Amino acid sequence: MFHPRRTLRALLLPLVAGLALVALPAPSAQAASTLTNGGFESDGTGTATPTGWSTYSAAGQNAASYTESGGHSGSYRLSHYSSAAYKVETYQYLSGLTNGNYTLTAWVRSSGGQNSAYISLKNCGSSEQKTDLPVSTSSWVRIVTSINVTNNQCTISINSDANAGNWINVDDLTFASGSTGLSIKGADISSLAKSEALGGVYKTSSGTTGDAVTILKNAGMNYARLKVWVNPADGYNNKTRVLAMAKRIKAAGMKLLVDFHYSDTWADPGKQTKPAAWSSHTYSQLKTDVYNHTYDVLNALKAQGTTADMVQVGNEINGGMLWSEGSTDNWSQLAGLINSGYSAVKAVSSGTQVALHLANAGDDATVRWWFDNAKTYGINYDVIGLSYYGYWHGSLAAAQTTLDDVVSRYGKPVFVAETAYPFTLSQDDSLENQIDTSGELVTGYPATQAGQLAWMNAVANIVEAVPGNKGLGVFYWEATWTAVTGNGWDPTDSTSGNGWENQALFDYSDKATSAMSWFSHR
């Protein structure tokens, strides 16, 4: 598109070379140094080119962009819509900017179904940065995009390449100094060691067999999560196995999150079963057990040069842990157990962050109840982790509300400790998959590799939008849990199947899915 100031400056540069004190002309009237009319309130309804904005469509479909009533705040919003397929861009060119980092924030809704629908920052002197609009047909969702401006100018773009009937709403844009991005682009790979031992194979997207850790690292993964069970029946996910996998993770240049379940098997909101070795212990003994087990694993990691970067004291502890002594029916005892784990982590490495992890990021009321009690009872922690599975835990808007709320209410950073999405509804072993019907899916996100990627980008985008850069990032849950005979869900039963293989990041021919590219998020 035509940038009058850039052209003018190019013409004038030969004239002013060597005349340091000669001022360049003021920016063209078509460009501003601050965002104009970011709330689309200046023109009423039906305006194809709102004040301060320009509209472009190669196919002459400018009318697909217009203002209408029903803003996120205020009376009006920008919409893209047409009853026929369309491509349209609504943009604003800013000049006279001070170089540095800038963040564009927008409130959006979208029908989904487009070939692409995104906000972006481009022509800013560094590579274009985009953020896809999440599918959300009723609730507004806040998204951000940040860029490094190096040429004193930038173009803010709202872009749709849409099919007939697709629509987006955009409102309340702001453009201000600051940067965003995710420091954690991780995955839980707890199942990997057993899979490999039983013959599991992992390939690049082009079909070259390789090391799964390396394939994930090359896709952009920078943080691995490993669970620890105390004395599991199959001998996996214990201290010895975690130590071995930690060496590979750290050798790949990744950080390590150690997830203590304080059990011999799965711990989650429905079950927090004490390890068999601790089953008859008193509350006082359990506090010592938690300390000693936590210290033992983490100190062994430190001794081999693979100190944990973050630790979860408990896994999805909505109802507490080490039932019944550590149930939320007895907050003072739960606090004692968690603080025992916290003390052990810090005794090994004061720099290791301690996370407390709840399920269901869509349920702000429960998360508030839990962390309000944590404050009342003096529970120590550094970071909040929340599981967020969209097919179980509510809308992206609901999850965003919770993420934003915990940061403002407790002042701690937050991350999505677990999420995932299917790339198919078919299964690759005899066990029915957890998600295997179209009715279970999140609306607008099909069970395809493209749908899996779109979901992960949507989750990453709401975490990136948490105010104050307090959204740390996301862990994909069990990226390597492909269907391998013997590597089922039950550590006591080698014939148990895997109900998760359609949500791995490797497909049924063992190739990396395209969703792995979410690891390259800002």
Side-chain angles (χ1 to χ4, degrees):
M1 74 197 54
F2 177 59
H3 286 149
R5 182 166 186 244
R6 184 184 299 168
T7 308
L8 191 60
R9 288 192 67 160
L11 293 170
L12 285 169
L13 280 174
L15 303 177
V16 301
L19 300 176
L21 297 177
V22 175
L24 292 174
S28 157
Q30 291 175 254
S33 58
T34 55
L35 178 64
T36 301
N37 193 22
F40 303 101
E41 295 296 308
S42 301
D43 309 287
T45 62
T47 304
T49 305
T51 298
W53 295 84
S54 303
T55 309
Y56 173 75
S57 172
Q61 297 169 305
N62 284 18
S65 170
Y66 54 92
T67 55
E68 63 179 341
S69 59
H72 167 256
S73 69
S75 301
Y76 306 106
R77 67 194 184 211
L78 178 77
S79 294
H80 287 180
Y81 166 81
S82 177
S83 57
Y86 64 95
K87 292 184 183 180
V88 71
E89 177 187 19
T90 310
Y91 67 94
Q92 189 167 146
Y93 167 59
L94 303 181
S95 65
L97 297 173
T98 302
N99 285 339
N101 292 316
Y102 289 85
T103 296
L104 174 68
T105 302
W107 286 91
V108 301
R109 299 190 296 200
S110 172
S111 66
Q114 299 92 345
N115 300 313
S116 62
Y118 59 88
I119 60 171
S120 79
L121 296 171
K122 62 184 182 179
N123 306 324
C124 313
S126 56
S127 348
E128 179 177 7
Q129 295 294 313
K130 298 181 180 182
T131 301
D132 294 333
L133 271 62
V135 181
S136 183
T137 56
S138 55
S139 299
W140 292 89
V141 176
R142 189 182 65 259
I143 57 175
V144 296
T145 306
S146 69
I147 200 161
N148 183 24
V149 172
T150 63
N151 60 358
N152 304 111
Q153 62 188 23
C154 200
T155 298
I156 293 166
S157 173
I158 303 162
N159 211 294
S160 293
D161 176 356
N163 298 300
N166 296 159
W167 57 266
I168 65 170
N169 302 148
V170 181
D171 202 6
D172 291 341
L173 285 90
T174 60
F175 183 74
S177 293
S179 62
T180 65
L182 301 179
S183 58
I184 295 173
K185 292 166 278 195
D188 191 304
I189 54 171
S190 297
S191 61
L192 179 58
K194 189 174 181 180
S195 172
E196 290 173 333
L198 294 170
V201 172
Y202 298 89
K203 300 176 181 178
T204 65
S205 56
S206 60
T208 304
T209 300
D211 173 70
V213 174
T214 303
I215 293 169
L216 290 160
K217 167 66 177 178
N218 289 344
M221 177 170 148
N222 66 3
Y223 222 124
R225 179 180 186 253
L226 298 175
K227 68 172 172 274
V228 187
W229 289 339
V230 176
N231 188 23
D234 62 356
Y236 284 88
N237 301 298
N238 62 7
K239 174 185 167 183
T240 302
R241 304 287 186 177
V242 166
L243 287 168
M245 188 60 71
K247 285 185 176 177
R248 292 171 60 185
I249 288 163
K250 290 283 190 168
M254 296 187 200
K255 290 186 174 181
L256 172 65
L257 167 58
V258 180
D259 172 17
F260 285 92
H261 284 227
Y262 302 111
S263 181
D264 293 333
T265 188
W266 302 100
D268 56 48
K271 54 188 175 299
Q272 295 282 338
T273 308
K274 289 193 288 266
W278 308 355
S279 59
S280 62
H281 290 188
T282 63
Y283 166 66
S284 179
Q285 289 174 304
L286 288 172
K287 282 202 294 184
T288 303
D289 292 331
V290 167
Y291 186 96
N292 289 345
H293 170 61
T294 306
Y295 187 94
D296 179 49
V297 173
L298 296 178
N299 196 51
L301 284 165
K302 180 181 177 181
Q304 69 172 15
T306 60
T307 301
D309 299 281
M310 191 185 293
V311 168
Q312 280 179 223
V313 174
N315 187 76
E316 294 190 330
I317 52 175
N318 300 53
M321 63 189 203
L322 294 162
W323 288 348
S324 58
E325 286 80 358
S327 160
T328 50
D329 291 337
N330 191 332
W331 274 99
S332 61
Q333 289 195 174
L334 175 58
L337 292 167
I338 292 173
N339 286 345
S340 187
Y342 179 93
S343 297
V345 176
K346 298 298 184 177
V348 173
S349 166
S350 61
T352 297
Q353 296 277 285
V354 175
L356 299 183
H357 172 211
L358 302 189
N360 198 346
D363 182 3
D364 189 40
T366 295
V367 175
R368 266 194 178 201
W369 164 78
W370 204 99
F371 281 98
D372 281 357
N373 275 293
K375 187 172 184 178
T376 299
Y377 288 92
I379 292 176
N380 297 317
Y381 65 100
D382 304 311
V383 186
I384 293 172
L386 301 172
S387 295
Y388 177 50
Y389 297 101
Y391 39 71
W392 292 328
H393 295 157
S395 69
L396 287 158
Q400 178 164 73
T401 296
T402 306
L403 294 169
D404 292 353
D405 187 40
V406 295
V407 164
S408 66
R409 195 168 175 87
Y410 309 110
K412 306 284 190 180
V414 67
F415 66 99
V416 170
E418 298 181 15
T419 190
Y421 206 74
F423 62 82
T424 180
L425 292 176
S426 68
Q427 58 196 61
D428 200 26
D429 66 8
S430 59
L431 182 65
E432 181 181 355
N433 287 332
Q434 294 263 349
I435 303 297
D436 66 344
T437 65
S438 57
E440 292 172 296
L441 297 173
V442 179
T443 302
Y445 294 91
T448 60
Q449 290 196 23
Q452 186 184 46
L453 173 58
W455 175 256
M456 287 310 300
N457 282 332
V459 174
N461 290 339
I462 65 167
V463 176
E464 186 188 20
V466 171
N469 289 317
K470 290 287 184 75
L472 298 180
V474 181
F475 286 94
Y476 194 95
W477 194 69
E478 284 290 11
T480 56
W481 200 7
T482 52
V484 174
T485 303
N487 194 22
W489 68 271
D490 186 352
T492 69
D493 179 5
S494 62
T495 68
S496 65
N498 172 8
W500 205 259
E501 74 271 11
N502 67 326
Q503 300 194 64
L505 291 180
F506 292 88
D507 68 16
Y508 293 173
S509 57
D510 302 317
K511 293 179 183 176
T513 72
S514 59
M516 233 181 250
S517 65
W518 90 264
F519 288 121
S520 60
H521 195 281
R522 274 183 300 277

